[in-house]
């Protein structure tokens, strides 16, 4: 049961998830206060930051549609049709992500996306408070202390429930841990990353194909590049922390240039400020954050990176965080019992977060180690055939994650069945011509039930 009274909630963090959740709840008629550590990014002069872009896929886009933010976001998005693979010998090849331009991903600018979301949150009636970092929580008195790092002042607020949308280093998570066992553990990947920039060409255009996510796979490591609407690309170099090459052997700008000269030679001339970028930009750590519980009874709940930070290799961190927002808003709006809303949200989302965390880890190998391996290529060829023959049953895992909205856990489970099928069916074959298609079709129908209605592509 839910009452019609004007319900109130306090969000911590006005990043991607905080701003979207504020909008959704405000649209449901809630009174929403959001506290953000940083200053308002919409104020002039604030945004001097680097141009960091993110891949937006169907799950995230769907959440933006529900919040009425899709048009403003898509106006600045750059379409990425597939992977442009840059082989070590200089060859390149575009591998499409989907069947056509209805199955693509979009490169969006983090700063612009955040600004759009803050604007619509405010327009929907949410109250945003900047320069307010959560410092401590008294869960008995239901008060929280927020600090303003500009003048060191602190501000105490009352709350009914707190929502932690404060990212991977969540302060709310830290406060909850002191009150109950969350089962927190972080597994570091042992690889880190560095961002570099490809500027526009002299005549102001993109210097490489704009409508692709570029990948330079090199076995144990790789580079990627995503386009920005300002005609630049953000390049990310992923390297192990140890070994050769690694962030231990590649320490200076000169080391980075030498690595690019030997392993990414077609990218080197595109990055004129390589040394400067490498030395100025911080090295980002990569890891997976697992929790066994996301809420403290009716008083606090976590979502997005605060609950389940993941490695970036499926480009789903934000997409998953946005899906969390839709789920939490629905659970909260459906009942006045917050403890049951929070536990229902956790029951729905935690298994799915675990699934995308696992798939994101697996996709690193897929991206960096795509060798021209014959077994692998034959399996990919069969995958394409089966997807065409059985569109309602056999959907490549990448497509289930990226272009559909079926639960991540189901995508993981069906993906495993599909992989076993591909291995079994290609065993002992050098090409697809020798396959018995009637038998193949029968096996597919037997092992892969039709996908639930409404998850198929909108074609
Ligand atoms: P955040 O967006 O990190 O927001 C947290 C907010 O909380 C911030 O505004 C922060 O200032 C604020 N905050 C922190 N502490 C406090 C405090 N104590 N009090 C108040 N406020 C606080 N995902 C994708 O789906 N596709 C991609 O291509 C992709 N690329 C990425 C590229 C990079 C370089 C990185 C780092 C991540 C990428 N991700 C991507 C992941 C994505 O950025 C995150 O999953 C997503 O931002 C999570 O949203 P969030 O709101 O939970 O956290
Ligand atoms: N995040 C992405 C993909 C999958 C691409 C594919 C991969 C950089 C820190 Cl590494 C990565 C993907 O399988 O062909 N889609 O979107 C985004 C990715 O990295 C982002 C930009 C990133 C955190 C650094």
């Amino acid at each position: 049961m839910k009452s019609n009274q004007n319900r109130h909630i306090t969000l911590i963090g006005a990043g991607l998830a905080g701003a979207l959740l504020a909008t959704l709840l405000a649209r449901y008629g809630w009174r929403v206060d959001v506290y953000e550590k940083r200053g308002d990014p919409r104020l002039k002069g604030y945004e001097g930051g680097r141009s960091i872009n993110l891949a937006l896929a169907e799950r995230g886009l769907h959440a933006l549609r529900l919040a009425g933010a899709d048009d403003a976001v898509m106006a600045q998005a750059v379409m990425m049709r597939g992977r442009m693979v840059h082989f070590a010998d200089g060859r390149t090849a575009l591998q499409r992500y989907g069947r056509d331009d209805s199955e693509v991903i979009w490169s969006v600018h983090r700063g612009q996306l955040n600004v759009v979301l803050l604007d619509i949150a405010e327009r929907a009636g949410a109250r945003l408070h900047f320069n307010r970092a959560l410092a401590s929580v008294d869960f008995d008195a239901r008060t929280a202390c927020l600090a303003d790092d500009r003048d060191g002042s602190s501000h105490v607020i009352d709350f009914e429930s707190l929502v932690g949308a404060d990212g991977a280093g969540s302060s709310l998570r830290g406060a909850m841990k002191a009150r109950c066992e969350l089962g927190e553990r972080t597994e570091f990947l042992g690889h880190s990353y560095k961002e570099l920039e490809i500027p526009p060409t002299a005549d102001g255009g993109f210097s490489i194909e704009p409508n692709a996510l570029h990948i330079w796979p090199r076995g144990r490591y790789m580079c990627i590049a995503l386009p920005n609407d300002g005609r630049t690309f953000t390049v990310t170099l992923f390297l192990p922390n140890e070994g050769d090459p690694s962030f231990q052997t590649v320490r200076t700008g000169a080391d980075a240039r030498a690595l690019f000269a030997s392993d990414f030679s077609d990218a080197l001339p595109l990055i004129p400020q390589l040394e400067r970028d490498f030395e100025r930009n911080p090295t980002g750590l990569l890891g997976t954050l697992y929790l066994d519980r996301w809420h403290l009874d009716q008083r606090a709940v976590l979502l997005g990176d605060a609950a389940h930070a993941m490695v970036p290799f499926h480009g789903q961190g934000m997409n998953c965080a946005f899906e969390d927002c839709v789920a939490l808003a629905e659970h909260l709006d459906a009942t006045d019992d917050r403890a049951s809303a929070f536990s229902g949200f956790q029951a729905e989302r935690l298994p799915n977060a675990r699934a995308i965390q696992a798939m994101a880890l697996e996709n690193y190998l897929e991206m960096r180690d795509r060798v021209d391996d014959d077994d692998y290529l034959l399996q990919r060829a069969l995958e394409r055939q089966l997807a065409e023959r059985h569109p309602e049953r056999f959907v490549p895992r990448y497509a289930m994650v990226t272009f559909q909205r079926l639960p991540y856990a189901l995508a993981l489970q069906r993906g495993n069945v599909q992989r076993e099928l591909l291995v079994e069916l290609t065993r002992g074959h050098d090409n697809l011509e020798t396959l018995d298609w009637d038998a193949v079709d029968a096996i597919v129908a037997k092992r892969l039930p039709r996908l639930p209605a409404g998850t198929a592509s909108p074609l």
Side-chain angles (χ1 to χ4, degrees), residues 43-113:
L43 300 181
K44 217 167 172 269
Y46 175 88
E47 232 210 303
R50 286 176 286 136
S51 194
I52 301 299
N53 43 23
L54 306 116
L56 175 68
E58 178 55 24
R59 292 168 198 269
L61 191 50
H62 178 74
L64 293 176
R65 283 185 205 113
L66 295 180
D70 51 320
D71 286 345
V73 171
M74 295 309 284
Q76 301 165 337
V78 182
M79 181 192 277
M80 298 188 288
R81 295 192 167 96
R83 289 177 182 166
M84 183 69 81
V85 181
H86 297 244
F87 296 98
D89 63 7
R91 276 184 308 123
T92 60
L94 179 72
Q95 301 173 350
R96 262 193 177 274
Y97 285 133
R99 286 175 282 199
D100 53 42
D101 282 359
S102 72
E103 294 186 328
V104 297
I105 54 178
W106 300 90
S107 182
V108 295
H109 185 276
R110 181 191 292 272
Q112 288 168 354
L113 174 61

Side-chain angles (χ1 to χ4, degrees), residues 168 186-194 238-239 241 247 282-288 309-313:
T186 299
E187 280 173 21
F188 289 98
L189 181 65
H191 293 232
S192 303
Y193 69 92
K194 189 76 97 172
F238 294 93
L239 278 183
N241 296 338
F247 280 108
T283 306
L285 290 179
L286 299 168
T288 309
M310 63 190 75
V311 298
F313 308 108

